[in-house]
Amino acid sequence: MSWIRKRELMVKPEILPGEVEGALDQAAKLVIRNLPEFTEYFPKAYSENGFYAATPNVDWTTGFWTGEVWLAYEHTGRGELLQAGRVQMDSFLERIESKREVETHDLGFLYSPSCVAGYKLTGSEVGRKAALMAARELTGRFHEKGEFIQAWGPLGAPDNYRLIIDCLLNLPLLYWAAEETGEERYRQAAERHIHTALSHVIREDFSTWHTFFFDRETGAPDHGATCQGYRDGSAWARGQAWGVYGIAIGYRYTKRQEYIPMFEGVTDYFLSHLPEDLVPFWDLEFGDGDEQPRDSSSAAIAACGMLEMAKYLDGERSEYYRGIARRLVKALADKCGVKDPAVSNGLVLHSTYSNHSPYNTCNHYGVDECNLWGDYFYMEALTRLHKDWQVYW
Ligand code: GLY
């Protein structure tokens, strides 16, 4: 990144400790307010006109809500949050036991912030059992041919013989299962996947592919493609953010030195393509002056990644990424944070789930709305800034 860009970023205001505390208080208050509606049921993945409807535990996103409940519990110690977390872990156990909507790589998104977190925080055997079952299910999606975990669709389907960058965040479930059971196969699947993913999704300029296909017969790398980004050659903002956090998590578990320059490159690409107000456009192709929606969730995810990686970098680089994360979180709190529950029952406005373009293959929904991962990672970033946090991932 150029020095000019770095200087421009460094003059933005950082969130102050008192503001972190205030924002966490507010987030926890909003989560508690929502418990009567969302304990037996879960919020839908994204809000509509600012409000989440209630759904059963069926989508890839419900774990983020339970994660919010646990983060609010950590912050307040309130008994109703503990109780809600327990009810929701029962639901996650029932879901994996009945194999409902678990044919997906998203099992880490589902089971790390809900059941691994609940186990770490409360010693829950329900959480442990459910998360171990989910980890076993996830390894079933690993392909020897290509050495990756297949993202979507029926296993081996020719139109879906691919990985996606988002999956880097599903791997901590496998690392946790390896530590918990002593079975190395979990760690091996995670490490082979991350190696394959990082070898192919990062382009020469450190922008990233959302998805990458492999040859089904030989396992040879085939081609990159977008699903949720604007076009094939662009950098989908959230994909880039999954890369930032995913590489940091990969480093956390492997300590592979070659991941450090990858982290720096992918993160600096993300930061170089932010608009003045630091709330990312949904695709990094767009910038100030473009009439395009934002994806605030990608700033929250990237901030968590920077705060994680800062733990392992030397003094100056560590302080640099921490400082940038504080600036992104300040922008989120000031410009997107929900202050009034009459406006929304979410936490963070101006996010984008899936924005259809003439050049991508995704459906159109959740544009300029709240979504569950945006809310969750905002709370996680605040928690990381507030204390030395024991990670759920
Ligand atoms: N992992 C799916 C998404 O980020 O939309």
Side-chain angles (χ1 to χ4, degrees):
M1 183 170 17
S2 74
W3 279 108
I4 297 175
R5 182 64 185 143
K6 253 188 194 168
R7 236 187 15 237
E8 280 169 5
L9 284 174
M10 295 316 273
V11 297
K12 307 282 182 199
E14 292 185 24
I15 193 161
L16 302 171
E19 293 173 312
V20 169
E21 173 115 40
L24 256 184
D25 288 348
Q26 170 71 359
K29 206 159 80 188
L30 293 170
V31 170
I32 290 169
R33 195 173 194 277
N34 288 331
L35 286 181
E37 194 179 357
F38 303 130
T39 293
E40 301 288 339
Y41 285 83
F42 291 76
K44 194 173 160 177
Y46 56 92
S47 65
E48 284 156 292
N49 299 318
F51 285 84
Y52 291 104
T55 76
N57 191 355
V58 289
D59 209 345
W60 68 275
T61 49
T62 47
F64 295 121
W65 168 245
T66 310
E68 288 176 58
V69 169
W70 287 133
L71 290 172
Y73 173 62
E74 282 200 56
H75 185 58
T76 64
R78 294 269 295 257
E80 64 266 51
L81 290 159
L82 175 61
Q83 182 52 25
R86 286 185 172 142
V87 170
Q88 288 167 33
M89 284 194 294
D90 287 342
S91 166
F92 279 101
L93 179 60
E94 188 276 326
R95 177 167 172 175
I96 191 75
E97 282 181 335
S98 60
K99 297 214 174 193
R100 193 176 59 255
E101 301 290 338
V102 292
E103 285 184 350
T104 163
H105 72 140
D106 286 323
L107 290 160
F109 282 126
L110 283 167
Y111 283 84
S112 292
S114 59
C115 293
V116 173
Y119 173 59
K120 286 183 176 175
L121 290 174
T122 72
S124 163
E125 281 304 320
V126 170
R128 181 178 186 277
K129 181 176 176 194
L132 285 178
M133 287 180 74
R136 261 196 303 279
E137 190 75 21
L138 183 54
T139 55
R141 296 188 70 79
F142 186 84
H143 287 300
E144 289 294 333
K145 279 193 183 155
E147 302 192 61
F148 68 96
I149 294 170
Q150 183 183 324
W152 303 309
L155 273 186
D159 58 339
N160 257 321
Y161 206 72
R162 60 174 154 180
L163 58 79
I164 71 173
I165 193 167
D166 325 28
C167 188
L168 295 171
L169 269 287
N170 287 315
L171 305 179
L173 180 66
L174 300 180
Y175 282 111
W176 170 80
E179 279 165 17
E180 206 53 33
T181 63
E183 289 179 44
E184 275 305 298
R185 67 193 178 95
Y186 292 113
R187 191 188 313 277
Q188 281 161 10
E191 281 182 17
R192 290 169 80 195
H193 177 94
I194 191 172
H195 180 72
T196 307
L198 295 184
S199 304
H200 300 297
V201 297
I202 304 174
R203 305 183 189 116
E204 218 163 290
D205 63 355
F206 289 102
S207 65
T208 52
W209 288 109
H210 178 197
T211 88
F212 202 94
F213 284 88
F214 296 82
D215 184 290
R216 215 159 52 115
E217 303 307 322
T218 64
D222 203 274
H223 67 282
T226 199
C227 176
Q228 282 159 272
Y230 176 65
R231 63 179 174 87
D232 274 346
S234 70
W236 175 45
R238 194 157 66 256
Q240 195 78 17
W242 291 135
V244 172
Y245 200 176
I247 300 170
I249 291 270
Y251 187 81
R252 170 187 174 83
Y253 286 104
T254 66
K255 299 295 185 301
R256 281 182 174 234
Q257 294 304 300
E258 66 266 33
Y259 292 170
I260 295 179
M262 288 182 189
F263 170 83
E264 291 175 330
V266 168
T267 304
D268 287 357
Y269 188 95
F270 181 85
L271 297 175
S272 310
H273 291 80
L274 291 179
E276 271 303 306
D277 63 10
L278 303 187
V279 181
F281 282 88
W282 70 284
D283 191 292
L284 300 179
E285 175 122 330
F286 302 112
D288 285 313
D290 286 320
E291 291 291 314
Q292 293 283 335
R294 307 300 185 104
D295 177 13
S296 55
S297 77
S298 57
I301 295 163
C304 289
M306 286 184 259
L307 291 170
E308 179 62 26
M309 197 65 184
K311 294 180 192 169
Y312 315 113
L313 297 173
D314 55 36
E316 201 181 314
R317 280 187 304 172
S318 169
E319 208 26 64
Y320 167 67
Y321 285 114
R322 261 186 227 288
I324 298 288
R326 284 193 207 105
R327 288 165 172 86
L328 293 189
V329 177
K330 167 83 174 158
L332 287 174
D334 287 358
K335 296 171 184 127
C336 308
V338 172
K339 298 357 176 252
D340 176 0
V343 171
S344 169
N345 63 356
L347 303 184
V348 187
L349 303 167
H350 309 308
S351 199
T352 290
Y353 183 172
S354 193
N355 191 24
H356 186 62
S357 86
Y359 314 108
N360 73 20
T361 54
C362 68
N363 295 320
H364 193 82
Y365 39 58
V367 175
D368 196 17
E369 291 285 347
C370 301
N371 53 48
L372 285 183
W373 59 90
D375 292 352
Y376 167 80
F377 285 109
Y378 172 65
M379 276 189 90
E380 181 185 308
L382 288 168
T383 306
R384 283 175 176 273
L385 290 172
H386 190 54
K387 65 177 188 180
D388 185 14
W389 181 62
Q390 191 201 0
V391 299
Y392 298 165
W393 303 99

